[in-house]
Every structure is written in C-alpha cells, then in structure tokens.
Amino acid sequence: MTEYDKSYEKLIEFEKKYLDFKKEDLSESDTRSKILDHILIEVLGWSEYNIEREGWVRVGFFDYELKTAAFQFVVEAKKNFVEFKLPSKGNEVKIGTIYEGNKEVINQVREYIFERGIGFGVITNGTQYIIGQFSNTQGVDWKDQKCIFFKDFDDIKKNFDKFYELLSFEAIGKYGKIKITKTSNVGKTIVKDFPLKRKNHELVRNKISQHLIPIINQVFEEIYNTESLEGKKILELCYVQNKDVKKYNSELGSIFADDPPTFDSRILPVQNTESTQKQLKEQVFGDVGNLPDPIILIGTAGAGKTTFIKYFSEVLLSKKNKKNRPLVYLDFRLFTGQLIKDTKHIYSKIIEQLEDQYPDLNLTKYNVLKNAYKLDIEKKLEGTWSRLADKPEELETKIAEFIENNQKDPIVHLKKISDYLLRWCSKRICVLFDNADQLNESDQKEVFLLGNSINRDLNSMVIISLREGYFYKWKNKPPFNAYQSIVYHITAPPYKEVLKKRINYVTTQFEFKEIDLATANKQVVFQKGSLEHLFKTLYDTLFNNKNSDVLEFLEETSYPNTRQGLENFKSFLLSGHSKITEYMSFDYGVGGDGIPIWEFFKSIALDSHYYYETSRSKIINLFYPSTSNKNHFTKYRLLNYLFTKLKASSKRKEYFLVSDITNEFIKAGYTIDVIEEELQVLFESKLISTSEYTEDVEEESEIESTSMISITSVGVYYIQSLIGRFHYLDLVLMDTPIYDEKFFTEISEEFPDSDEYGNRNLEARKNTVIKFLEYLESQERQDKKFAVNFEDKSIMFDAVSTINKTVNKDIGRIDKVIKRTTA
C-alpha cells in the first residue's frame, strides 16, 4: 500500500470524528489540536520533528511552521466556525479575487511569512483551506498569483489527490516546495492573438522542387541503397573518412567532439575511421578456427552507422574478401516485431542472400548439399538405408528427399550450410544486423539475443549496430550482461566534409538540362546548367567564405547527428521561402558572399509556413517559458550557467548534478519545479545532455534531481551565436508570450504582415525587434528585483544588454539596406 493510500484511509477514518467536531463551535486552539494536528500528522505524514507550533515573530504568534531540509511554510488556523468567502465552483483562483472577502486572514498570514522570510502560507479553519504564495516573485504581483482552495471536507475527499500533492510531507519533500501549478503562459502572442493575413496558409513550394527531389533522394539522404551501380558510386565518392575528431567551430573545441564513450571497458578507444575499419577487418578475417565474440558498433543517432557498415561491406571489402567471408546484411527497418521473433523467417532470409549473392558457393547444387549433409547421410547408410546399398538409384532418391525435407526447416538447413562452409571451405558466414536501434526496446533485445544465438549456434561472425544510448542503458542488464562482446564506436564524420562531398557529387556527376516551367501566367525557361549553378552558389556560400554563418548554423545545430544536418539542408532546398529561381540565376552571387544567413535561416525555421510557431519549428525559442513559468530568461540563464561551469572545468567533459543547479537558482528566486521543468524542455530540445546518454534513445526520459547534465554544442551555439542575431529575434518574437498589454499593443502595431511570397517589410521588422527588446528589458528589470543580493553573474547576468551588443551590429547593417532601397 502506498503512502497516498494510507493517507486516504486515515482521512476516511477521521471523517466521523470530524463530523462530530463540525457540530461544535471550536476555538482556534481546539481547531488546531482536534483537527489540524490529526490532518497534518496522521493524514499528511508530517512528524513532530518537522512542526514548530506557536512560534513568535515581531507581529505575533504564528500557529504552525512546517519544515523540510529545503523548504518551510506557515499554517494559520482560525476558528472552525469562521467561514472563508470562497467561490462555489472550482479549486483555483487568483489571490486578488478572494482578497477583499478574506482580507484580514490573508494580511495576517502575509505578515507572518514576511517576518520569517518565506513565501508560502496556508490559511485554514479546519474545514476550508486556502493555499498560496502570498509574496511577490519573479516579477509577478502576489495578488496575480494563483492559489488553491478547498471548500469543505467533502471537497478535500473529492480532490484528495490534489490536496495530498500540495501539502503532504512526501510531496513537499519531493518538489522542495508547495507545488502550485501556475496557469500556462497567459501572455498574448502575435501569431495566436493578432489578426494576421495568411496565418493558417502555407506557401506553395517553389516550382523547381520537382526537379530537386530526385537529386535530394539520391544524394542528400543516408547512403544505404547500394543495390544499383549509381548507389554504390555515390557511396564511394561521398563517404567521409573521419581522420580528425576535433569539432572545428565549437568554442570549447574537442570537448564537443564525438569521442568514443568511456563508460564501458569493452569500447575500443579508436577514433580514426580508417583505424576502426582496419581493426574490424582483422576481426572478420582472423583465424577461421577461432570464433570471435559478437561485434557491436555503437554511435549516436544519425552519426552514420549504416553508411559506415555499407562502405565497409560494399567498398572496403573486395569480392575476394567476401568470398572467404560470405557477408549477409539484414536491415531491421524491414522487419516487424512478429518477424523478428520468427527465427525461421530470419534464417530463411540469410539463406536467400547466401544463395543469391554468392552463386560461386554453389549452395543449391546437389553435390554440395550432399557434402553439407554428409554425416547425416552416413548415419542413415549405417541404419535404415543399409538395405539400399545395392540399389543406387533408389538410394539417391532417398538422399534427395532427405535433403529436401531438411531444407524446409531453415534453422536446420542453415546450420548444415554453415558447418559445410567452415569444415570443407574454410569460410565463415558474417551476418550484419543494421538499424536494430530503430525498433522498440523489447524488439531490440530480441535482435541482440538472435545475434548471439547465430554467433554461437552457427559459428558465424555477427556484427550488430546500436545507438550508444541503448548500449549504455542495457550494458549491465540482461540479456546484454550475459554475453561477451567486442565494441567499436562509430565516430560522426565532420559535417562540413559530408556536405562538401555531396554537393561536389551533384555538380560533377549530374547532367543538368534546360528546365521549362509553366506557371499560372507565363512560361519560364531556365537554360541548361541553371540548376548546376544553384549548387555552385550553395558551395560558394558554404565553403568559399572564410567564416560562413550558414555553414556554422548547419554544423552547430546538428553535429554529431549528420542525418539531421542533411535534413536541415534538404529543408532549405524545398522550403517555400527559399528563392531557388533567384539563386539559379547566373548573375546571382557574383562578387558577393552567396546566400545570406537570414534567408537560409528563415527557410529552415518556417519551412513553408508564413509565420513562426514554437511548437512546429526546428528552431527553438529560448524566450518561450515552460508551462509553470512566466520568465523569458530562465532557459538562457540555465544554459549560460552550464556553459560557464563547463569552461571553468579542468575535465575534458563534465556533467553537473541537477539538485546542485536548482539549489543555486533557488537563491536567485526561482523554484525547483520551474527549473526542473525548464531543464526538461532544454533536454528534449537537445540543448543539454545527460551523462546517461538518454537523449540518444527514443523513449521519453525525465530529468530528475539526481540527473547529471551538461550543455551541448547546440546549446552553446544558441547562447553564443544565435540569440543575439536579428534573424533569430525577428522570428521568435512572433510566438513569445507578451505579459504586458501596453507592450503587446505597441509590438503588434509595428509588426508587418507577410505578402503572398512570404516577404515582410524590413523597416517594420526592424522596429518590431527593437520594441520587442524594450519589452524584454522591462521584464528583466522585474526579474532582477527579486535577486538584488544575488551575486552569481553566470546566472543573473545582463541578458538583454548581452543580446543588444550583437543585434545592434545587424540593425546597423539593416539601416544601410533600408537607406539604399529607399534612396
């Protein structure tokens, strides 16, 4: 029975006594001793050790002060007969709404909490409860804050889950406070609360997209389809060997490199791709008499495990290699959970590949099959077939039937084939299990067990690819801890080199014909080579500028997830905002720096929508508070705090305890639930990571007080390079809640609508950003009121001032553009 269940039983047991007390006119003292003591101790689980009664402060005696190691609050008890004036419906209300009707008791509890230097209080007459934070906090007037109330004993019974979650010793110990969930983001946003043209429309994709999609599907995807000659050619020419694991553009250098993890001694510390391939080849082509343990290839999501496997098996291994080690590739994206458990189906797929891809092995030839079943045939000849010794034709029929019957069971037949290849041919089957990490957890475990079974029962080499997050999660649990494995880490290649090779491939290997487009009003003809010029413009933008903002954006928002980086690049090519036909012009980019970052950024942030919305964009809005928060700077301050600690660390990579972080932010006026909630959002947005690699698995993971976290390179990019750029502020302000009606009116009056092509007036956009920054500055002033004596500048730094230093440069550039276009 849980503590909650026990508490509810205690409440029901107390109900009869309570009904008797209700008939009496209990004094404040009787209300405390007969009702509140029982509720607090028996029902809510507080001990005498945690309760201080009738403590004296300058303004009088408070009735109770309840304490945990991290939190305390006051309970003020009134006579049982005195009823509070509460709404007849619901359990939540602004304190200001009930203030006039309960002015005396609210003022009294406020006096006590001020004297004690705490924020929360509970007012009760034994029958009714008012629970709230009766002091200003984080820029919010105390009267505007929500309180929870319970109208009577029946209301407590009906909503006991809420009552227990607010006031029990267990809940307050867990949350470090009375957890009153605040109303989510009540501020107005431009995109939701202002009448915008085309708000619910989408831009039509550029007409060139139909010509781009075939190129994108061939070249800017993960390379795994090597069945065609073209696919193998792309693999050969576009594969990137990772020779230097350093991540060039990160401020912290190799701290954010995709290094082999150190959490398991089995992980070989190889970083260079060629070295990994060499060692893997040595394992595969070792002494055929010695069966190696299964090999596990681990790497982060999107790091290129499949491409590595394909390059290793299709390019690096010669036909002669594979003739000696017949290699079978199983892509588990093509298998359902039911098929994975069907061992016969898996074995039949292996047999099919061996027969189809290695005809020189002659595994379908009768004489070879007779050799595979030789021992079984000899036993039969000593037994029931001995009478057929002088009947060769009948014997051959028996042998053929016997083999045919065994072939019907792929498990039996594959075992015979494997034994034959080893014994008679000195060849060992090698089975590659790829994309098992795309399956759910239970299916992944089935694949792992299947791989070990094949390794052991067939004497076959087995290679299994997994995300390192799953490997970390399971390494000490069944079935993973029951088997020995050899583990290699597949390091993500430099994204810059990946993209450079892919674009080079397009410009050198494709033939670009004339494009004839029919639009509603006219026929447009793009001469031969126009599409090639588009990719040359992209190449110049990314690689011929010394400090390319576009390349930095693509690298820093994706590494080491190369797949995500390619997805972002594809989004740009297909976005309705991308001016593809302009970039195809042979005059475009002459003498310039290529496609500007703000155009590239807008295409990826908006896709084909006219306006930015936080919930659907790939770009994260750092100013959008989490559900229980109304502070625009919490995410920024958390990331800056982590970044500062990481820079000061002497370790190569360090993680920090969440409870230590929350304790520091509590001193600045924040609350535990807000900080943990904001950390969860940052984690889900991949701006922070955990030491447990939980960001690498598909299942939802919770950031807890015991979690160890650190900032990611993406998080560093957001606070060091992006948050102060005009193109970022210009978009995220559309969906940042504005908590000041005056500012909302002023911002919305400046905000320019989008035309049908997705363009908005530049001068109006500039004015909107300036007004938005003024609003943020006013919010930060309120924010700092409640951290006057707090000195940690890594938390309470001047956020808007820091942003202004960067954005003012962009605004200066924009002023020049406006002046030039209006002259």
Side-chain angles (χ1 to χ4, degrees), residues 92-105:
E92 301 176 6
V93 71
K94 279 187 178 181
I95 296 174
T97 304
I98 62 169
Y99 176 66
E100 289 302 325
N102 305 280
K103 192 172 185 177
E104 183 182 341
V105 291

Side-chain angles (χ1 to χ4, degrees), residues 40 46 50-52 64-68 71-75 167:
L40 292 173
W46 292 88
N50 301 106
I51 299 173
E52 180 182 349
Y64 298 87
E65 186 174 303
L66 276 64
K67 303 176 183 179
T68 66
F71 182 72
Q72 58 200 73
F73 64 98
V74 166
V75 178
L167 294 180

Side-chain angles (χ1 to χ4, degrees), residues 807-821:
V807 78
N808 285 338
K809 296 177 184 177
D810 283 349
I811 289 175
R813 173 185 52 76
I814 288 165
D815 282 335
K816 291 178 182 178
V817 174
I818 293 170
K819 187 176 181 180
R820 187 169 63 245
T821 55

